[in-house]
Amino acid sequence: MSDDAAPWLIVGLGNPGAEYAGNRHNIGFMVADLLAERIGGKFKAHKARAQVLEGRMGAPGPANRRVVIAKPMSFMNLSGGPVTALRDFYKVPLERVVAVHDELDIDYATLRLKLGGGDNGHNGLKSMTKAMGADYHRVRCGIGRPPGRMQVADFVLKDFSSTERKELDWFVDRSADAVECLVQEGLERAQSAYNS
């Protein structure tokens, strides 16, 4: 299979289970759900311990891309296993893997896209990088730092505040737009349009 025929693997990072659904740590799942809705498909269980949806992104033509949208069903700190299994299964080159995740060091509702880099203490990225190397794309969805003395772990596992929720739909929508732009038009174009 030529690299051109290989799909893009878009991984929304989060924790499975209803009790985590609205957590800051689960914004990757929220973006994956919206992308699935846009493509018009349903997630199905995959043997790689993930929910996956295969489809196409973009209008018919040269920018139309084959994609696999995935939500690992392991916990966040074990994301590397399912992601690597999906990569192998779909024969996806590392530079076509996109992790969508929460990012503490960026203000809330701010986006940054990049290729490669460190994990910045993010356990999902740490697990992915350990399993397959660091040269995958990241769509970093800013959630800001915890207030006062709140522990990071408590902060990321709390739901978005009522103030944050006013902007959350817009933010998830913009994050999904950024993923589509990255996959269809490349990193530079997506960075200039969405990095703030």
Side-chain angles (χ1 to χ4, degrees):
M1 177 195 286
S2 79
D3 273 3
D4 271 2
W8 283 75
L9 175 59
I10 300 161
V11 182
L13 292 179
N15 284 309
E19 70 272 33
Y20 299 107
N23 289 181
R24 292 183 179 94
H25 223 17
N26 271 40
I27 194 159
F29 274 17
M30 296 172 197
V31 174
D33 286 338
L34 179 57
L35 288 166
E37 202 177 293
R38 289 180 180 183
I39 286 174
K42 292 235 179 303
F43 283 101
K44 294 184 175 70
H46 191 280
K47 65 182 181 197
R49 287 184 315 160
Q51 295 280 325
V52 300
L53 164 66
E54 297 176 51
R56 298 200 77 88
M57 191 175 270
N64 186 270
R65 300 280 184 261
R66 213 174 122 224
V67 295
V68 177
I69 300 170
K71 299 191 293 185
M73 290 289 113
S74 59
F75 281 93
M76 178 72 89
N77 56 350
L78 301 172
S79 302
V83 176
T84 305
L86 289 171
R87 234 195 97 200
D88 293 347
F89 182 83
Y90 290 105
K91 300 181 173 56
V92 179
L94 188 54
E95 66 277 5
R96 284 201 181 181
V97 175
V98 181
V100 184
H101 63 91
D102 57 306
E103 177 65 68
L104 286 161
D105 285 339
I106 302 175
D107 290 341
Y108 177 65
T110 300
L111 278 174
R112 298 266 165 75
L113 288 82
K114 70 175 187 173
L115 175 62
D119 54 52
N120 223 7
H122 191 290
N123 289 331
L125 297 180
K126 200 175 283 181
S127 176
M128 282 178 62
T129 298
K130 188 173 173 195
M132 60 189 192
D135 293 331
Y136 52 89
H137 287 91
R138 297 100 192 277
V139 175
R140 304 157 74 209
C141 305
I143 59 169
R145 303 289 309 177
R149 298 211 167 129
M150 189 189 287
Q151 293 295 313
V152 166
D154 296 336
F155 180 69
V156 298
L157 294 176
K158 278 207 174 0
D159 286 2
F160 286 99
S161 69
S162 52
T163 314
E164 288 168 335
R165 277 200 297 271
K166 290 184 183 120
E167 272 188 281
L168 186 58
D169 286 348
W170 171 84
F171 185 30
V172 169
D173 197 60
R174 188 170 160 78
S175 302
D177 290 348
V179 172
E180 289 180 345
C181 184
L182 168 64
V183 167
Q184 292 168 56
E185 300 178 55
L187 180 61
E188 278 183 30
R189 174 80 191 86
Q191 285 175 326
S192 66
Y194 293 98
N195 275 14
S196 38

